[in-house]
Coordinates of all heavy atoms in Angstrom, one line a residue:
M1 N -23.0 19.8 14.1 CA -23.6 19.0 13.0 C -23.5 17.6 13.1 O -22.5 17.0 13.5 CB -22.9 19.5 11.6 CG -23.5 19.0 10.5 SD -25.2 19.5 10.0 CE -24.7 21.1 9.6
V2 N -24.7 17.0 12.9 CA -24.7 15.5 12.8 C -25.1 15.1 11.4 O -25.9 15.6 10.9 CB -25.9 15.1 13.8 CG1 -26.1 13.4 13.7 CG2 -25.7 15.4 15.3
S3 N -24.3 14.2 10.9 CA -24.4 13.6 9.7 C -24.9 12.2 9.7 O -24.2 11.3 10.4 CB -23.1 13.7 8.9 OG -22.6 15.1 8.8
I4 N -26.0 11.8 9.1 CA -26.4 10.5 9.1 C -26.6 10.0 7.7 O -27.2 10.6 6.8 CB -28.0 10.4 9.8 CG1 -27.9 10.9 11.2 CG2 -28.5 8.9 9.6 CD1 -29.3 10.9 11.8
V5 N -26.0 8.9 7.4 CA -26.1 8.2 6.2 C -27.0 7.0 6.2 O -27.0 6.2 7.1 CB -24.6 7.8 5.7 CG1 -24.7 6.9 4.4 CG2 -23.7 8.9 5.6
T6 N -27.9 6.9 5.1 CA -28.8 5.8 5.1 C -28.4 5.0 3.7 O -28.7 5.5 2.6 CB -30.2 6.0 5.0 OG1 -30.6 6.6 6.2 CG2 -31.1 4.8 4.7
P7 N -27.8 3.8 3.8 CA -27.4 3.0 2.7 C -28.8 2.2 2.2 O -29.5 1.7 3.2 CB -26.4 2.1 3.0 CG -26.6 1.8 4.5 CD -27.2 3.1 5.1
S8 N -29.0 2.0 1.0 CA -30.3 1.3 0.6 C -30.0 0.5 -0.8 O -29.3 1.0 -1.6 CB -31.4 2.3 0.5 OG -32.6 1.6 0.0
L9 N -30.6 -0.6 -0.8 CA -30.6 -1.4 -2.0 C -31.9 -2.2 -2.0 O -32.2 -3.1 -1.3 CB -29.6 -2.4 -2.3 CG -29.6 -3.2 -3.5 CD1 -29.5 -2.3 -4.8 CD2 -28.3 -4.2 -3.5
N10 N -32.9 -1.7 -2.9 CA -34.2 -2.4 -3.0 C -34.9 -2.5 -1.7 O -35.5 -3.7 -1.4 CB -34.1 -3.8 -3.7 CG -33.5 -3.7 -5.1 OD1 -33.9 -2.8 -5.9 ND2 -32.6 -4.7 -5.4
Q11 N -35.0 -1.4 -1.0 CA -35.7 -1.2 0.2 C -36.9 -0.3 0.2 O -37.1 0.2 1.3 CB -34.7 -0.8 1.3 CG -33.6 -1.9 1.6 CD -34.1 -3.3 2.3 OE1 -34.9 -3.1 3.2 NE2 -33.8 -4.3 1.6
A12 N -37.5 -0.1 -0.8 CA -38.5 0.8 -1.1 C -39.6 0.6 -0.1 O -40.2 1.6 0.4 CB -39.2 0.9 -2.4
V13 N -40.0 -0.6 0.3 CA -41.0 -0.9 1.3 C -40.8 -0.3 2.6 O -41.6 0.0 3.4 CB -41.3 -2.4 1.3 CG1 -40.1 -3.1 1.8 CG2 -42.6 -2.8 2.1
F14 N -39.5 -0.1 3.0 CA -39.1 0.4 4.2 C -38.6 1.8 4.2 O -38.6 2.6 5.2 CB -38.0 -0.4 5.0 CG -38.3 -1.9 5.1 CD1 -37.7 -2.8 4.2 CD2 -39.3 -2.3 6.0 CE1 -38.0 -4.2 4.3 CE2 -39.6 -3.6 6.1 CZ -39.0 -4.6 5.2
L15 N -37.9 2.4 3.1 CA -37.2 3.4 3.0 C -37.9 4.8 3.4 O -37.4 5.6 4.2 CB -36.6 3.5 1.6 CG -35.6 4.8 1.5 CD1 -34.4 4.6 2.4 CD2 -35.2 4.8 0.0
E16 N -39.1 5.0 2.9 CA -39.7 6.2 3.3 C -40.0 6.3 4.7 O -39.8 7.4 5.4 CB -41.2 6.3 2.5 CG -41.7 7.6 2.6 CD -42.9 7.9 1.8 OE1 -43.5 6.9 1.3 OE2 -43.2 9.1 1.5
R17 N -40.4 5.4 5.3 CA -40.6 5.3 6.8 C -39.2 5.7 7.6 O -39.2 6.5 8.5 CB -41.2 4.1 7.4 CG -41.6 4.2 8.9 CD -42.6 3.1 9.2 NE -43.0 3.1 10.6 CZ -43.0 2.1 11.4 NH1 -42.8 0.9 11.0 NH2 -43.3 2.4 12.7
T18 N -38.2 5.1 7.1 CA -36.9 5.4 7.8 C -36.5 6.8 7.5 O -36.0 7.6 8.5 CB -35.8 4.4 7.1 OG1 -36.1 3.1 7.3 CG2 -34.5 4.7 7.6
M19 N -36.7 7.4 6.4 CA -36.5 8.6 6.1 C -37.2 9.6 7.0 O -36.7 10.6 7.5 CB -36.5 9.0 4.6 CG -35.5 8.4 3.7 SD -35.7 8.5 2.0 CE -35.4 10.1 1.8
Q20 N -38.6 9.3 7.1 CA -39.4 10.2 7.9 C -39.0 10.1 9.3 O -39.1 11.3 10.0 CB -40.9 9.7 7.7 CG -41.4 10.0 6.4 CD -42.8 9.5 6.2 OE1 -43.3 8.7 7.2 NE2 -43.5 9.9 5.1
S21 N -38.5 9.1 9.7 CA -38.1 8.9 11.2 C -36.9 9.9 11.5 O -36.7 10.3 12.6 CB -37.8 7.5 11.5 OG -36.5 7.0 11.2
V22 N -36.1 10.0 10.5 CA -34.9 11.0 10.6 C -35.3 12.5 10.4 O -35.1 13.2 11.3 CB -33.8 10.7 9.6 CG1 -32.7 11.7 9.6 CG2 -33.2 9.2 9.8
L23 N -36.0 12.7 9.4 CA -36.3 14.1 9.1 C -37.4 14.7 10.1 O -37.3 15.8 10.3 CB -37.0 14.1 7.7 CG -36.0 13.8 6.6 CD1 -36.7 13.6 5.3 CD2 -35.0 14.9 6.5
Q24 N -38.3 13.9 10.7 CA -39.3 14.4 11.7 C -38.6 14.6 13.0 O -39.3 15.1 13.9 CB -40.4 13.3 11.8 CG -41.4 13.5 10.5 CD -42.4 12.4 10.5 OE1 -42.6 11.6 11.4 NE2 -43.3 12.4 9.6
Q25 N -37.3 14.3 13.2 CA -36.7 14.8 14.5 C -36.5 16.2 14.5 O -36.4 16.7 15.7 CB -35.3 14.1 14.6 CG -35.2 12.6 14.5 CD -35.8 11.9 15.7 OE1 -35.5 12.5 16.8 NE2 -36.4 10.9 15.6
N26 N -36.6 17.0 13.4 CA -36.4 18.4 13.3 C -35.2 19.0 14.1 O -35.3 20.0 14.6 CB -37.7 19.1 13.8 CG -39.0 18.8 13.0 OD1 -38.9 18.8 11.8 ND2 -40.1 18.5 13.6
Y27 N -34.2 18.1 14.0 CA -32.9 18.5 14.5 C -32.3 19.6 13.7 O -32.2 19.4 12.4 CB -32.0 17.3 14.7 CG -30.8 17.7 15.5 CD1 -30.8 17.9 16.8 CD2 -29.5 17.8 14.7 CE1 -29.6 18.2 17.6 CE2 -28.4 18.1 15.5 CZ -28.4 18.3 17.0 OH -27.2 18.6 17.6
P28 N -32.0 20.8 14.2 CA -31.6 22.0 13.4 C -30.3 21.9 12.7 O -30.0 22.3 11.6 CB -31.5 23.1 14.3 CG -31.4 22.5 15.6 CD -32.0 21.1 15.6
K29 N -29.4 20.9 13.2 CA -28.1 20.8 12.6 C -27.9 19.3 12.2 O -27.0 18.6 12.7 CB -26.9 21.1 13.7 CG -27.0 22.6 14.0 CD -25.9 23.1 14.9 CE -25.9 24.5 15.3 NZ -24.8 25.0 15.9
L30 N -28.5 19.0 11.0 CA -28.6 17.6 10.5 C -28.3 17.6 9.1 O -28.9 18.4 8.3 CB -30.0 16.9 10.8 CG -30.2 15.6 10.1 CD1 -29.4 14.7 10.8 CD2 -31.8 15.3 10.2
E31 N -27.3 16.8 8.6 CA -27.2 16.4 7.2 C -27.7 15.0 7.2 O -27.3 14.1 7.9 CB -25.6 16.4 7.0 CG -25.0 17.7 6.9 CD -23.6 17.7 6.5 OE1 -22.8 16.6 6.9 OE2 -23.0 18.4 5.7
Y32 N -28.6 14.8 6.2 CA -29.1 13.6 5.9 C -28.7 13.2 4.4 O -29.1 13.7 3.5 CB -30.6 13.5 6.1 CG -31.2 12.1 6.1 CD1 -30.5 11.0 6.6 CD2 -32.4 11.8 5.6 CE1 -30.9 9.7 6.6 CE2 -32.9 10.4 5.7 CZ -32.2 9.5 6.2 OH -32.7 8.2 6.2
I33 N -28.0 12.1 4.4 CA -27.3 11.6 3.1 C -27.9 10.1 2.9 O -27.9 9.3 3.6 CB -25.9 11.5 3.2 CG1 -25.3 12.8 3.5 CG2 -25.2 10.9 2.0 CD1 -23.9 13.0 4.1
I34 N -28.6 9.9 1.7 CA -29.1 8.6 1.2 C -28.3 8.2 0.1 O -28.2 8.9 -1.0 CB -30.6 8.7 0.9 CG1 -31.4 9.1 2.2 CG2 -31.1 7.4 0.5 CD1 -31.7 10.6 2.3
M35 N -27.7 7.1 0.2 CA -27.0 6.3 -0.8 C -27.6 5.1 -1.2 O -27.7 4.0 -0.5 CB -25.6 6.0 -0.3 CG -24.8 7.1 0.3 SD -24.4 8.4 -0.9 CE -23.3 7.6 -2.0
D36 N -28.2 5.1 -2.4 CA -28.9 3.9 -3.0 C -28.1 3.3 -3.9 O -27.4 3.9 -4.9 CB -30.2 4.5 -3.6 CG -31.0 3.3 -4.3 OD1 -31.4 2.4 -3.6 OD2 -31.2 3.4 -5.5
G37 N -28.1 1.9 -4.0 CA -27.3 1.2 -4.9 C -28.0 0.8 -6.2 O -27.9 -0.3 -6.7
A38 N -28.6 1.9 -6.8 CA -29.2 1.6 -8.1 C -30.5 0.7 -8.0 O -30.5 -0.3 -8.8 CB -28.4 1.2 -9.2
S39 N -31.3 0.8 -7.1 CA -32.5 0.0 -6.7 C -33.4 -0.1 -8.0 O -33.5 0.8 -8.8 CB -33.2 0.4 -5.5 OG -32.5 0.3 -4.3
K40 N -34.1 -1.1 -8.1 CA -35.0 -1.4 -9.2 C -36.5 -1.6 -8.7 O -37.2 -2.3 -9.3 CB -34.6 -2.6 -10.1 CG -33.2 -2.6 -10.6 CD -33.1 -1.5 -11.7 CE -31.7 -1.7 -12.3 NZ -31.2 -0.4 -12.8
D41 N -36.7 -1.1 -7.5 CA -38.1 -1.4 -6.9 C -38.9 -0.2 -6.5 O -39.8 -0.3 -5.8 CB -37.8 -2.1 -5.5 CG -37.1 -1.3 -4.4 OD1 -36.5 -0.2 -4.8 OD2 -37.0 -1.6 -3.3
G42 N -38.6 0.9 -7.3 CA -39.5 2.2 -6.9 C -38.8 3.1 -5.9 O -39.4 4.1 -5.7
T43 N -37.7 2.8 -5.5 CA -36.9 3.6 -4.6 C -36.6 5.0 -5.3 O -36.7 6.1 -4.5 CB -35.5 3.1 -4.2 OG1 -35.8 1.9 -3.4 CG2 -34.6 4.0 -3.4
D44 N -36.5 5.1 -6.5 CA -36.1 6.3 -7.2 C -37.4 7.3 -7.0 O -37.2 8.6 -6.9 CB -36.0 6.2 -8.6 CG -37.0 5.5 -9.4 OD1 -37.7 4.6 -8.8 OD2 -37.2 5.6 -10.6
R45 N -38.7 6.8 -6.9 CA -39.8 7.6 -6.8 C -39.8 8.2 -5.4 O -40.1 9.5 -5.2 CB -41.0 6.9 -7.0 CG -41.3 6.6 -8.4 CD -42.7 5.9 -8.6 NE -42.9 4.7 -7.8 CZ -42.8 3.5 -8.3 NH1 -42.3 3.4 -9.5 NH2 -42.9 2.4 -7.5
I46 N -39.3 7.5 -4.4 CA -39.3 8.0 -3.1 C -38.1 9.0 -2.8 O -38.3 10.2 -2.3 CB -38.9 6.8 -2.0 CG1 -40.1 5.8 -2.0 CG2 -38.6 7.3 -0.6 CD1 -39.8 4.5 -1.4
L47 N -36.9 8.7 -3.5 CA -35.9 9.8 -3.4 C -36.3 11.1 -4.1 O -35.9 12.1 -3.7 CB -34.6 9.1 -4.1 CG -34.0 8.0 -3.5 CD1 -32.8 7.5 -4.2 CD2 -33.7 8.2 -1.9
T48 N -37.0 11.1 -5.1 CA -37.5 12.2 -5.9 C -38.4 13.1 -4.9 O -38.3 14.2 -4.9 CB -38.2 11.8 -7.2 OG1 -37.4 11.2 -8.0 CG2 -38.8 13.1 -7.9
C49 N -39.2 12.4 -4.1 CA -40.1 13.1 -3.3 C -39.4 13.8 -2.2 O -39.9 14.8 -1.6 CB -41.1 12.1 -2.6 SG -42.4 11.6 -3.8
Y50 N -38.2 13.3 -1.9 CA -37.5 14.0 -0.7 C -36.2 14.6 -0.9 O -35.3 15.0 -0.2 CB -37.2 12.7 0.3 CG -38.3 12.2 1.1 CD1 -39.1 11.2 0.7 CD2 -38.8 12.7 2.3 CE1 -40.3 10.8 1.3 CE2 -39.8 12.3 3.0 CZ -40.6 11.3 2.4 OH -41.7 11.0 3.2
H51 N -36.1 14.9 -2.3 CA -34.7 15.4 -2.7 C -34.6 16.8 -2.1 O -33.3 17.1 -1.9 CB -34.7 15.6 -4.3 CG -35.5 16.7 -4.9 ND1 -36.8 16.5 -5.1 CD2 -35.2 17.9 -5.2 CE1 -37.3 17.7 -5.6 NE2 -36.3 18.5 -5.6
D52 N -35.5 17.5 -1.9 CA -35.4 18.9 -1.2 C -35.1 18.8 0.3 O -34.9 19.8 0.9 CB -36.5 19.8 -1.5 CG -37.8 19.3 -1.2 OD1 -37.9 18.0 -0.8 OD2 -38.7 20.2 -0.8
Q53 N -35.4 17.6 0.9 CA -35.1 17.5 2.3 C -33.9 16.9 2.8 O -33.4 17.0 3.9 CB -36.3 16.9 3.0 CG -37.7 17.5 2.7 CD -38.8 16.7 3.4 OE1 -38.8 16.3 4.5 NE2 -39.8 16.5 2.5
A54 N -33.3 16.2 1.8 CA -32.0 15.5 2.1 C -30.9 16.4 1.7 O -31.0 17.2 0.8 CB -32.0 14.2 1.3
T55 N -29.8 16.3 2.4 CA -28.6 17.0 2.1 C -28.0 16.5 0.8 O -27.6 17.2 -0.1 CB -27.5 16.8 3.3 OG1 -28.2 17.3 4.4 CG2 -26.2 17.7 2.9
Y56 N -28.0 15.2 0.6 CA -27.3 14.6 -0.5 C -28.0 13.2 -0.8 O -28.3 12.5 0.1 CB -25.8 14.3 -0.3 CG -25.1 13.8 -1.5 CD1 -24.6 14.6 -2.5 CD2 -24.8 12.4 -1.5 CE1 -24.0 14.0 -3.5 CE2 -24.1 11.9 -2.7 CZ -23.8 12.7 -3.7 OH -23.1 12.2 -4.7
L57 N -28.4 13.0 -2.1 CA -28.9 11.8 -2.6 C -28.1 11.3 -3.7 O -27.7 12.1 -4.5 CB -30.4 12.0 -3.1 CG -31.4 12.4 -1.9 CD1 -32.8 12.9 -2.8 CD2 -31.8 11.4 -1.1
D58 N -27.9 10.0 -3.8 CA -27.2 9.3 -4.8 C -27.7 8.0 -5.2 O -28.1 7.3 -4.1 CB -25.7 9.3 -4.6 CG -24.8 9.0 -5.9 OD1 -25.5 8.9 -6.9 OD2 -23.7 8.9 -5.7
S59 N -28.0 7.6 -6.4 CA -28.4 6.2 -6.7 C -27.5 5.8 -7.9 O -27.8 6.1 -9.0 CB -30.0 6.4 -7.1 OG -30.3 5.0 -7.5
R60 N -26.6 4.9 -7.5 CA -25.8 4.3 -8.4 C -25.3 3.0 -7.8 O -25.2 2.8 -6.7 CB -24.6 5.2 -8.8 CG -23.6 5.6 -7.8 CD -22.4 6.4 -8.4 NE -22.4 7.5 -7.6 CZ -21.4 8.4 -7.6 NH1 -20.4 8.0 -8.4 NH2 -21.3 9.5 -6.9
Q61 N -24.9 2.2 -8.7 CA -24.4 0.8 -8.3 C -23.1 1.1 -7.4 O -22.3 1.8 -7.7 CB -24.0 0.0 -9.4 CG -23.8 -1.5 -9.0 CD -23.9 -2.5 -10.2 OE1 -23.8 -2.0 -11.4 NE2 -23.9 -3.7 -9.9
D62 N -23.1 0.3 -6.2 CA -22.0 0.3 -5.4 C -21.4 -1.1 -5.1 O -21.9 -2.1 -5.8 CB -22.3 1.0 -4.0 CG -23.5 0.5 -3.4 OD1 -23.6 -0.8 -3.3 OD2 -24.4 1.3 -2.9
R63 N -20.6 -1.1 -4.2 CA -19.9 -2.5 -3.9 C -20.4 -3.1 -2.6 O -19.8 -3.8 -1.9 CB -18.4 -2.3 -3.9 CG -17.8 -1.9 -5.3 CD -16.3 -2.1 -5.4 NE -15.7 -1.4 -4.3 CZ -15.1 -0.2 -4.4 NH1 -15.2 0.5 -5.5 NH2 -14.5 0.4 -3.4
G64 N -21.6 -2.7 -2.2 CA -22.2 -3.2 -1.0 C -22.4 -2.1 0.0 O -22.1 -1.0 -0.1
Q65 N -23.0 -2.6 1.1 CA -23.5 -1.7 2.3 C -22.3 -0.8 2.7 O -22.4 0.4 3.1 CB -24.1 -2.4 3.3 CG -24.6 -1.5 4.4 CD -25.3 -2.4 5.5 OE1 -25.0 -3.6 5.7 NE2 -26.2 -1.7 6.2
A66 N -21.2 -1.4 3.2 CA -20.1 -0.7 3.7 C -19.5 0.3 2.8 O -19.1 1.5 3.1 CB -18.9 -1.7 4.1
H67 N -19.4 0.0 1.5 CA -19.0 0.9 0.4 C -20.0 2.1 0.3 O -19.6 3.2 0.2 CB -18.9 0.2 -0.9 CG -18.4 1.1 -2.0 ND1 -19.3 1.5 -3.1 CD2 -17.3 1.7 -2.3 CE1 -18.5 2.2 -3.9 NE2 -17.3 2.5 -3.4
A68 N -21.3 1.9 0.3 CA -22.3 2.9 0.3 C -22.2 3.9 1.6 O -22.2 5.1 1.4 CB -23.7 2.4 0.1
I69 N -22.0 3.3 2.7 CA -21.8 4.1 3.9 C -20.6 5.0 3.8 O -20.7 6.3 4.1 CB -21.8 3.2 5.1 CG1 -23.1 2.7 5.4 CG2 -21.3 4.1 6.4 CD1 -23.1 1.5 6.4
N70 N -19.4 4.3 3.4 CA -18.2 5.2 3.3 C -18.3 6.2 2.2 O -17.8 7.3 2.4 CB -17.0 4.2 2.9 CG -16.4 3.4 4.2 OD1 -16.4 4.1 5.3 ND2 -16.3 2.2 4.0
C71 N -19.0 5.9 1.2 CA -19.2 7.0 0.2 C -20.0 8.1 0.7 O -19.8 9.2 0.4 CB -19.9 6.5 -1.2 SG -18.8 5.4 -2.1
G72 N -21.1 7.9 1.5 CA -21.9 8.8 2.1 C -21.0 9.6 2.9 O -21.3 10.9 3.1
F73 N -20.3 9.0 3.8 CA -19.4 9.8 4.7 C -18.5 10.8 4.0 O -18.1 11.8 4.6 CB -18.6 8.8 5.7 CG -19.4 8.2 6.8 CD1 -19.0 7.1 7.3 CD2 -20.5 8.8 7.1 CE1 -19.7 6.4 8.3 CE2 -21.4 8.1 8.2 CZ -20.8 7.0 8.8
Q74 N -18.2 10.5 2.8 CA -17.3 11.4 2.0 C -18.0 12.7 1.7 O -17.4 13.7 1.5 CB -16.9 10.7 0.7 CG -15.8 9.6 1.0 CD -15.4 9.0 -0.4 OE1 -15.8 9.3 -1.5 NE2 -14.6 7.9 -0.2
H75 N -19.3 12.7 1.8 CA -20.2 13.9 1.5 C -20.6 14.5 2.8 O -21.3 15.6 2.8 CB -21.4 13.5 0.7 CG -21.0 13.1 -0.6 ND1 -20.8 13.9 -1.7 CD2 -20.9 11.8 -1.2 CE1 -20.5 13.2 -2.8 NE2 -20.6 12.0 -2.5
A76 N -20.2 14.0 3.9 CA -20.6 14.5 5.3 C -19.6 15.5 5.9 O -18.4 15.4 5.6 CB -20.7 13.3 6.3
S77 N -20.1 16.5 6.5 CA -19.3 17.5 7.1 C -19.5 17.6 8.8 O -19.0 18.4 9.3 CB -19.5 18.8 6.5 OG -20.8 19.3 6.7
G78 N -20.3 16.7 9.2 CA -20.7 16.6 10.6 C -19.6 16.3 11.6 O -18.6 15.6 11.2
D79 N -19.7 16.9 12.7 CA -18.9 16.4 13.9 C -19.1 15.0 14.4 O -18.3 14.3 14.8 CB -18.9 17.5 15.0 CG -18.5 18.8 14.5 OD1 -17.4 19.0 14.0 OD2 -19.3 19.7 14.9
I80 N -20.4 14.7 14.2 CA -20.8 13.3 14.6 C -21.3 12.7 13.3 O -22.2 13.1 12.6 CB -22.0 13.4 15.6 CG1 -21.4 14.1 16.9 CG2 -22.5 12.0 16.0 CD1 -22.5 14.4 17.9
L81 N -20.8 11.4 13.1 CA -21.1 10.6 11.9 C -21.9 9.4 12.3 O -21.5 8.7 13.3 CB -19.9 10.3 11.1 CG -19.1 11.4 10.5 CD1 -17.8 10.8 10.0 CD2 -19.7 12.4 9.7
A82 N -23.1 9.1 11.7 CA -23.8 7.8 12.0 C -24.4 7.3 10.7 O -24.4 8.0 9.6 CB -24.8 8.2 13.0
W83 N -24.8 6.1 10.8 CA -25.5 5.5 9.6 C -26.8 4.8 10.2 O -26.9 4.3 11.4 CB -24.7 4.6 8.8 CG -24.6 3.2 9.3 CD1 -25.3 2.1 9.1 CD2 -23.5 2.7 10.0 NE1 -24.9 0.9 9.6 CE2 -23.7 1.3 10.2 CE3 -22.2 3.2 10.4 CZ2 -22.7 0.5 10.9 CZ3 -21.4 2.5 11.1 CH2 -21.6 1.1 11.3
L84 N -27.9 4.9 9.5 CA -29.1 4.1 9.9 C -29.5 3.3 8.6 O -29.7 3.9 7.4 CB -30.1 5.3 10.2 CG -31.5 4.7 10.6 CD1 -31.4 4.2 12.0 CD2 -32.5 6.0 10.6
N85 N -29.7 2.0 8.8 CA -30.1 1.3 7.7 C -31.4 1.6 7.2 O -32.2 2.0 8.0 CB -29.9 -0.2 8.2 CG -28.6 -0.6 8.3 OD1 -27.6 -0.3 7.6 ND2 -28.2 -1.6 9.3
A86 N -31.6 1.2 6.0 CA -33.0 1.7 5.2 C -34.2 0.9 5.8 O -35.3 1.3 5.5 CB -32.8 1.3 3.8
D87 N -34.1 -0.1 6.7 CA -35.2 -0.7 7.3 C -35.3 -0.4 8.8 O -35.9 -1.3 9.4 CB -35.2 -2.2 6.9 CG -34.0 -2.9 7.5 OD1 -33.0 -2.3 7.9 OD2 -34.0 -4.3 7.5
D88 N -34.5 0.6 9.3 CA -34.5 1.0 10.7 C -35.3 2.3 11.0 O -35.5 3.0 10.0 CB -33.1 1.2 11.2 CG -32.3 -0.3 11.3 OD1 -33.0 -1.3 11.4 OD2 -31.1 -0.3 11.2
L89 N -35.4 2.5 12.2 CA -36.1 3.8 12.6 C -35.2 4.6 13.6 O -34.6 3.9 14.4 CB -37.5 3.6 13.1 CG -38.6 2.9 12.3 CD1 -39.8 2.7 13.0 CD2 -38.8 3.7 11.0
L90 N -35.2 5.8 13.4 CA -34.4 6.7 14.5 C -35.5 7.2 15.5 O -36.4 7.9 15.1 CB -33.9 7.9 13.7 CG -32.9 8.8 14.7 CD1 -31.8 8.0 15.2 CD2 -32.5 10.1 13.8
L91 N -35.3 6.8 16.7 CA -36.2 7.2 17.8 C -35.5 8.2 18.7 O -34.4 8.1 18.9 CB -36.6 5.9 18.6 CG -37.4 4.9 17.8 CD1 -37.7 3.6 18.5 CD2 -38.7 5.5 17.1

């Protein structure tokens, strides 16, 4: 199992493309965890659209990117843990 965490804060302009880059890999043993820091830019609409494709979604205020990643890893069960920032692509 591979667990990927994407931390995000007000990155709606990039987030959907990032999420698609992970989900379109079609890797059969993937946990995808998105940790949003209570964004105010429409991120909630994107998360709603992908709630059934992600393993875990959370949107609440955090203490920054490292905290969001660590909180995401707490929900991960993979043998391999990784994070992908909300404005990056998985190739």
Side-chain angles (χ1 to χ4, degrees):
M1 180 70 68
V2 174
S3 301
I4 299 176
V5 174
T6 293
S8 179
L9 178 61
N10 295 322
Q11 295 292 311
V13 65
F14 305 109
L15 183 60
E16 186 167 21
R17 187 164 181 223
T18 298
M19 293 174 68
Q20 288 175 351
S21 80
V22 173
L23 296 169
Q24 290 176 356
Q25 300 290 322
N26 294 319
Y27 188 74
K29 295 185 177 185
L30 172 71
E31 287 182 322
Y32 192 31
I33 300 163
I34 296 95
M35 302 298 292
D36 176 59
S39 295
K40 304 289 186 213
D41 66 343
T43 293
D44 57 334
R45 290 188 301 263
I46 295 167
L47 297 180
T48 299
C49 291
Y50 287 89
H51 78 278
D52 59 336
Q53 296 178 55
T55 305
Y56 183 80
L57 297 170
D58 196 0
S59 183
R60 65 175 122 162
Q61 193 165 11
D62 54 46
R63 297 188 308 260
Q65 182 180 24
H67 182 244
I69 293 167
N70 283 315
C71 288
F73 284 158
Q74 290 177 2
H75 295 278
S77 64
D79 298 312
I80 299 171
L81 303 176
W83 80 86
L84 183 70
N85 291 325
D87 60 351
D88 291 333
L89 300 176
L90 184 63
L91 301 174

